[in-house]
Amino acid sequence: RTDSVFIERRVYGAQPDPLLFKFASSAAHLTGHPLVASETATWLGEHFRVSLAQVKPEVDQLFTAGINHIVFHGTPYSPPEAPWPGWLFYASTHFAPTNPFWRDLPGLTSYIARAQSFLQRGQPDNDVLLYFPVYDHWQRADDPAFQLSIHNPEQWFYNLPMHGAAQVMQDQGYTFDYVSDRLVTTLREDGGALQAEGGRYATIVLPAVKHMPLATLEHLIALAESGATVIVQAAMPQAVPGWEELDARRKRLHALREAVAFGPASGTGVRTADVGDGRFLLGDDLTLLLKAAGVGREPMADRGLRFARRRHAQGHHYFVTNLGATPVEGWVPLGTDAASAVLFDPLRDRRGVAAVRQTEDGPEVYLQLEPGASRVLRTFTTASVAGPAWRYLEPGTPQVLDGTWAVAFIDGGPELPNEYTTAQLTSWTAQGGEAERFAGTARYRLTFEAPTTNPDAWTLDLGRVRESAQVYLNGKDLGRVWAHPFTLPVGDALQPGENVLEVEVTNLMANRIADLDRRGVAWKTFYDINFVGIDYQPFDAAHWPPMPSGLLGPVALIPEREHPPSPAD
């Protein structure tokens, strides 16, 4: 566990990869199924050490891969009479009432609900189909019964040129879905585009494919003859899979290859074969091939932003997230037409008309995204929307809130530790005794004098929070903080003179579980146990040092001034 924004997990040595998640969303997009579900947050870290702050970037990554229906994994039933920690599940993220973060879980679920309300509307809007050459994998698989699994992508996905092509398109902002042989044969040409049951695509990419069924290639040629564009990386398919009537099928493959006669390479290295009303494009550089095919991209990828794009009746929905470590602020170009747009903050339930400007290269929207932040952008192709403007704020110098904090433990166990006061915010485990093994919530209370400056707005920055918190200023509920960035708008809660800040901070289960194991308490008492550590070895937390817990700060008020961006900026 670190304090970075994006926390990688490992499952059997694997890492979460949106390029794997896209196998599910691609199938739904091509076949017209509106919901794409995910078994979410299974193994983000070791048991009882996973925070809500680690779940959010995982959810955001799923959203950008086309998943739009989050299902937690897992939420076990536990009878009320079962001793703490109750009945558990083998997977490590414990979405159940005995986990202290249950107190702040509504922050995560509300965030998911707001984002999904957009991602479940309209239609997917990806531009490219990327062919999945499964026969290339099967041709070299040592085990005929080998299964394609999320746990072994290095054996069936990462070792195919297809993965490299997908990585290039993701990094450069090209939107795409995978397509299988069966679904290729369901495509039809429509005005030069490829029409699937559930979506419309500009082209299809064959990523250095060696083995291809005749039916697939025959249909691709028929699509080109009708007006479609087919992109071929490296070379046309060279072989057919299987043994039945092999010689006859090889001859047919040769004839099909001959029917696609490529001319000499252009200055970019792209060769063209005119086939009926359409064409095949051949080359090694996928970026140049996509440009030659006239496929657009989303330049926001150049800023390190990850996104998903969907169509609605008047424009597009973008889900945009900053999973990097650097803030993104400025004019961000869009790959679609937009006369106007509305910004939504699904974390804080804020909205407003975005600043949009038109340039020679297309529309741009002004975005401010701290590391870990996300937005939904609703664009309108021709309409000019009216309404309150999105409030763009420029932060000033943080003003740290010094003073003596009174800390009282208000909920959790096994026992409530003693209250204490401190002028230096550190982990409550430093108090020793019950505080070292406590799992639950402590209230931090500080009385401070309001700054004398008068900016347009104030933001409260809690610094480091281990792990989530509910915040009150002068008795007014400012909201929950449970993910990066741990900030809240103050609004009108700050008053001149004396103010009282209360922060109810909740930690994880880890320290209490470790105490049970150190004392030899038999807490793993549930039916048909399948409970192992993240390394799939017997679980034992007795050696764990105390996890930092509580409000670590520094806590500061950040003055902000309104900064409506000018088109000339």
Side-chain angles (χ1 to χ4, degrees):
R1 168 69 161 86
T2 71
D3 286 310
S4 61
V5 171
F6 180 65
I7 312 296
E8 291 186 345
R9 65 168 182 175
R10 285 168 173 77
V11 185
Y12 307 106
Q15 297 175 1
D17 187 344
L19 296 180
L20 283 170
F21 304 150
K22 286 180 72 69
F23 278 92
S25 60
S26 296
H29 292 169
L30 268 86
T31 57
H33 288 76
L35 297 181
V36 190
S38 167
E39 174 189 278
T40 302
T42 309
W43 286 102
L44 291 181
E46 187 55 276
H47 285 283
F48 315 118
R49 298 171 69 94
V50 174
S51 69
L52 297 175
Q54 288 170 266
V55 177
K56 182 181 181 293
E58 177 79 351
V59 168
D60 288 350
Q61 187 170 233
L62 288 167
F63 286 157
T64 64
I67 307 297
N68 63 3
H69 187 199
I70 298 300
V71 179
F72 290 146
H73 186 84
T75 307
Y77 166 76
S78 184
E81 64 272 15
W84 192 92
W87 292 1
L88 303 175
F89 181 55
Y90 89 95
S92 70
T93 308
H94 186 53
F95 290 103
T98 55
N99 191 329
F101 77 27
W102 188 263
R103 178 186 179 100
D104 293 316
L105 185 63
L108 171 63
T109 55
S110 296
Y111 168 77
I112 291 172
R114 294 182 191 115
Q116 286 184 170
S117 70
F118 292 94
L119 294 172
Q120 293 177 4
R121 294 180 181 179
Q123 296 80 38
D125 188 50
N126 294 335
D127 293 320
V128 180
L129 288 171
L130 179 60
Y131 175 70
F132 176 34
V134 68
Y135 289 97
D136 280 352
H137 161 71
W138 283 336
Q139 188 71 20
R140 54 190 180 182
D142 295 331
D143 180 4
F146 180 85
Q147 298 295 311
L148 309 185
S149 166
I150 191 85
H151 305 308
N152 55 9
E154 70 283 350
Q155 296 176 271
W156 64 269
F157 183 41
Y158 296 157
N159 59 0
L160 292 175
M162 172 198 181
H163 176 259
Q167 192 71 60
V168 166
M169 289 195 286
Q170 176 181 264
D171 292 347
Q172 297 189 11
Y174 289 98
T175 59
F176 62 97
D177 284 319
Y178 305 138
V179 62
S180 66
D181 289 281
R182 183 180 68 83
L183 289 177
V184 164
T185 60
T186 67
L187 300 174
R188 59 184 176 85
E189 186 275 338
D190 181 22
L194 299 171
Q195 185 67 52
E197 181 178 354
R200 185 178 177 87
Y201 300 86
T203 188
I204 183 171
V205 172
L206 310 184
V209 180
K210 293 183 178 180
H211 299 82
M212 179 178 282
L214 288 176
T216 302
L217 185 55
E218 288 171 342
H219 194 72
L220 289 171
I221 292 175
L223 290 170
E225 288 174 341
S226 297
T229 297
V230 178
I231 291 175
V232 181
Q233 260 194 299
M236 290 285 285
Q238 304 163 27
V240 290
W243 293 101
E244 185 179 6
E245 299 180 352
L246 181 57
D247 288 340
R249 289 187 298 113
R250 281 175 171 170
K251 290 179 181 179
R252 175 60 177 159
L253 175 65
H254 178 75
L256 292 172
R257 285 168 52 93
E258 290 293 311
V260 182
F262 290 99
S266 66
T268 62
V270 175
R271 301 173 61 191
T272 302
D274 294 323
V275 180
D277 293 330
R279 57 182 176 162
F280 276 64
L281 300 176
L282 174 65
D284 294 320
D285 190 317
L286 180 56
T287 301
L288 295 177
L289 287 165
L290 291 167
K291 288 181 179 178
V295 179
R297 70 184 190 97
E298 290 292 346
M300 71 173 69
D302 299 340
R303 303 289 299 272
L305 297 175
R306 299 281 289 277
F307 66 93
R309 188 183 75 203
R310 294 179 65 87
R311 285 182 290 111
H312 63 83
Q314 296 176 283
H316 293 85
H317 286 140
Y318 288 81
F319 174 83
V320 184
T321 184
N322 180 8
L323 295 178
T326 304
V328 173
E329 177 167 3
W331 291 102
V332 175
L334 300 178
T336 60
D337 292 335
S340 61
V342 178
L343 271 172
F344 297 83
D345 178 358
L347 183 65
R348 300 285 173 229
D349 196 19
R350 298 179 297 153
R351 69 205 68 189
V353 177
V356 176
R357 71 178 184 184
Q358 306 297 325
T359 73
E360 292 182 357
D361 297 323
E364 296 181 343
V365 61
Y366 201 91
L367 295 180
Q368 295 173 310
L369 286 169
E370 291 293 318
S374 51
R375 299 284 186 269
V376 171
L377 181 68
R378 179 177 173 90
T379 69
F380 297 84
T381 305
T382 58
S384 180
V385 295
W390 178 266
R391 200 176 189 195
Y392 294 95
L393 296 170
E394 181 178 348
T397 303
Q399 301 189 26
V400 176
L401 300 184
D402 294 318
T404 299
W405 294 84
V407 184
F409 295 87
I410 61 175
D411 185 42
E415 302 290 340
L416 294 181
N418 293 329
E419 300 181 6
Y420 67 97
T421 59
T422 181
Q424 183 69 37
L425 289 173
T426 59
S427 172
W428 73 49
T429 58
Q431 300 300 307
E434 288 293 337
E436 281 194 358
R437 64 176 185 161
F438 178 74
T441 303
R443 179 184 295 122
Y444 289 71
R445 189 176 190 273
L446 174 72
T447 300
F448 67 95
E449 290 292 320
T452 57
T453 53
N454 187 28
D456 296 321
W458 288 101
T459 287
L460 178 67
D461 184 352
L462 295 183
R464 291 195 299 159
V465 177
R466 302 300 294 265
E467 301 293 336
S468 58
Q470 186 82 29
V471 184
Y472 302 89
L473 181 58
N474 298 318
K476 183 172 183 178
D477 186 354
L478 296 188
R480 290 184 177 94
V481 288
W482 52 271
H484 297 270
F486 289 97
T487 59
L488 284 167
V490 171
D492 60 1
L494 186 68
Q495 61 189 25
E498 188 175 272
N499 289 261
V500 177
L501 175 64
E502 294 176 300
V503 185
E504 296 180 356
V505 184
T506 301
N507 72 340
L508 301 179
M509 302 173 73
N511 294 342
R512 188 171 175 182
I513 289 289
D515 172 69
L516 292 177
D517 274 350
R518 280 193 290 269
R519 294 190 288 116
V521 176
W523 56 273
K524 304 172 194 172
T525 53
F526 31 84
Y527 176 73
D528 193 22
I529 180 172
N530 178 16
F531 198 89
V532 293
I534 196 170
D535 56 0
Y536 270 62
Q537 299 301 310
F539 179 87
D540 182 8
H543 62 284
W544 287 358
M547 284 191 69
S549 301
L551 182 60
L552 307 186
V555 178
L557 283 171
I558 303 175
E560 296 175 309
R561 68 177 184 88
E562 293 198 14
H563 175 61
S566 165
D569 287 347

